[in-house]
């Protein structure tokens, strides 16, 4: 009897493994020939004369947008109310119209109101603020983790769940930008950070030299990259597309030349891309044509030498 049970368990385990493999293969089979093609359908880049936040590309940025407007309207109400009150008092109680001023110094009702109302306002601001801080800090149970290392002046991405996948990402110099390929001056890079959509992705952020800033405005991520320590953050991108960020901690002469480009693609494409990237992107063993930035930043140098 025991043998029969063990045999059944073995058959079931075999079926499970087989099903998993079949799933993985099916996912790979769905991948399009260019694994990054899906990312060009939607481009979340800054627009000329843009003055508002970028379109939110993650739930975190949606919540930041919401909280910003929520607090903004409360502030607008307070400023408006105080402004109108000041104007009224200035006009109504000016010396000409009110030659004998009142000597009243206390009014219990007003004093209670001006303590209680701001307390209520602070309470309705602090509850969603603290809740958002906790939400941002919760990087538990990610699907995958990428170690992001800032260097002078490029980014390095190490995929912890894909052995050997560790590569550098350099800005494409201005004279090599090809707009017909969808490349954007000062934002496009040679090797973007590729992430699957619909999964929680954790970032372990650090630096190899000086302070950098890993800043992804449309995803609501902003963390310092600090030498010798790891600061974490996370994202979840529902929509396939291309998202941009920049180093936002002044880190030296080419600080402006280390943008972040993220290609968010469906899982099947992501898996297909990792296979390709492991073979081609290994750090220090693959020197792509554009991976080395110019020895000096022409623009920065011009301003320095002038
Ligand atoms: Cu930097």
């Amino acid at each position: 009897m025991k043998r029969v049970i063990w045999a059944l368990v073995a058959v079931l385990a075999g079926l499970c493994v087989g099903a998993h493999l079949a799933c993985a293969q099916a996912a790979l089979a769905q991948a399009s020939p260019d694994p990054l093609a899906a990312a060009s359908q939607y481009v979340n880049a800054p627009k000329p004369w843009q003055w508002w936040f970028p379109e939110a590309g993650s739930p975190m940025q949606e919540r930041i947008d919401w909280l910003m407007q929520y607090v903004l309207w409360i502030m607008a109400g307070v400023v408006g109310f105080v402004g109108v009150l000041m104007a009224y008092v200035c006009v109504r109680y000016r010396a000409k119209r009110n030659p004998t001023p009142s000597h009243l110094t206390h009014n219990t009702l007003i004093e209670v109101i001006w303590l209680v109302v701001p307390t209520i306002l602070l309470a309705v601001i602090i509850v969603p603020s603290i809740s958002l801080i906790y939400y941002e800090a919760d990087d538990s149970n990610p699907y995958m983790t990428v170690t992001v290392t800032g260097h002078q002046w490029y980014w390095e991405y190490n995929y912890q769940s894909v052995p050997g996948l560790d590569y550098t990402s350099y800005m494409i110099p201005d004279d090599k930008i090809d707009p017909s390929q969808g490349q954007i001056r000062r934002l496009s890079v040679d090797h973007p950070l590729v992430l699957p959509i619909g999964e929680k992705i954790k970032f372990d952020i650090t630096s190899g030299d000086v302070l950098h800033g890993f800043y992804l405005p449309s995803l609501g991520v902003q963390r310092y990259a600090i030498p010798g320590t790891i600061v974490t953050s996370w994202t979840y991108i529902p929509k396939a597309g291309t998202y941009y960020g920049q180093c936002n901690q002044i880190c030296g002469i080419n600080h402006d030349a280390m943008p972040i480009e993220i290609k968010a693609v469906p899982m099947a494409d992501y898996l297909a891309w990792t296979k390709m990237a492991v073979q081609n992107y290994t750090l220090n063993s693959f020197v792509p044509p554009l991976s080395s930035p110019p020895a000096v930043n022409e623009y920065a140098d011009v301003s320095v030498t002038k």
Side-chain angles (χ1 to χ4, degrees):
M1 186 63 186
K2 263 188 184 174
R3 277 189 188 173
V4 175
I5 291 171
W6 279 116
L8 273 173
V9 168
V11 168
L12 277 174
L15 281 174
C16 280
V17 171
H20 265 94
L21 285 174
C23 276
Q25 277 184 344
L28 276 175
Q30 285 168 15
S32 56
D34 173 7
L36 302 186
S40 54
Q41 291 164 7
Y42 167 69
V43 178
N44 189 323
K47 298 173 186 71
W49 299 102
Q50 178 178 338
W51 62 279
W52 199 250
F53 289 152
E55 190 180 334
S58 72
M60 200 186 291
Q61 180 58 24
E62 274 171 15
R63 287 174 187 227
I64 293 171
D65 274 356
W66 180 87
L67 183 66
M68 209 288 294
Q69 297 202 39
Y70 175 77
V71 176
L72 186 73
W73 285 115
I74 291 175
M75 277 167 50
V78 171
V79 169
F81 175 71
V82 172
V84 168
L85 205 60
M86 290 279 288
Y88 174 75
V89 168
C90 288
V91 173
R92 172 68 183 78
Y93 295 100
R94 65 189 191 276
K96 208 172 164 189
R97 184 159 175 201
N98 192 40
T100 25
S102 156
H103 291 280
L104 194 75
T105 53
H106 292 288
N107 182 306
T108 310
L109 177 65
I110 290 180
E111 284 172 25
V112 168
I113 290 174
W114 78 41
L115 275 175
V116 170
V117 171
T119 308
I120 293 172
L121 286 181
L122 286 180
V124 298
I125 289 174
I126 208 167
V127 170
S129 301
I130 299 281
S131 139
L132 181 58
I133 289 171
Y134 273 81
Y135 179 75
E136 288 183 350
D138 181 15
D139 57 16
S140 59
N141 302 318
Y143 167 73
M144 57 184 263
T145 304
V146 181
T147 302
V148 175
T149 310
H151 296 274
Q152 284 175 316
W153 289 275
Y154 58 96
W155 292 98
E156 177 189 346
Y157 302 124
N158 183 331
Y159 288 65
Q160 295 182 14
S161 52
V162 186
L165 186 52
D166 184 336
Y167 62 92
T168 56
S169 178
Y170 282 89
M171 184 185 83
I172 298 177
D174 290 3
D175 57 353
K176 300 219 166 54
I177 280 287
D178 181 0
S180 68
Q181 299 288 316
Q183 293 173 355
I184 303 176
R185 178 181 164 272
R186 314 306 284 177
L187 284 178
S188 291
V189 300
D190 58 352
H191 298 140
L193 175 61
V194 178
L195 301 173
I197 57 171
E199 295 288 352
K200 185 171 183 177
I201 291 135
K202 182 179 168 186
F203 300 118
D204 281 354
I205 301 156
T206 187
S207 168
D209 37 50
V210 300
L211 281 180
H212 297 273
F214 188 65
Y215 176 42
L216 309 170
S218 57
L219 302 181
V221 173
Q222 181 179 25
R223 285 288 184 278
Y224 285 140
I226 305 169
T229 193
I230 289 174
V231 179
T232 66
S233 187
W234 64 275
T235 193
Y236 176 98
I237 308 174
K239 188 173 170 183
T242 307
Y243 302 82
Y244 294 97
Q246 286 174 314
C247 173
N248 73 338
Q249 177 68 25
I250 301 207
C251 59
I253 196 166
N254 287 356
H255 156 65
D256 64 308
M258 47 186 302
I260 300 147
E261 182 177 3
I262 292 179
K263 299 277 187 194
V265 295
M267 181 56 83
D269 292 336
Y270 166 75
L271 293 173
W273 171 83
T274 54
K275 283 193 147 191
M276 183 278 294
V278 163
Q279 289 162 9
N280 296 321
Y281 279 18
T282 307
L283 186 67
N284 299 330
S285 65
F286 175 68
V287 184
L290 293 174
S291 78
S292 304
V296 287
N297 179 318
E298 293 157 33
Y299 293 92
D301 266 21
V302 167
S303 58
V304 166
T305 49
K306 262 183 187 168

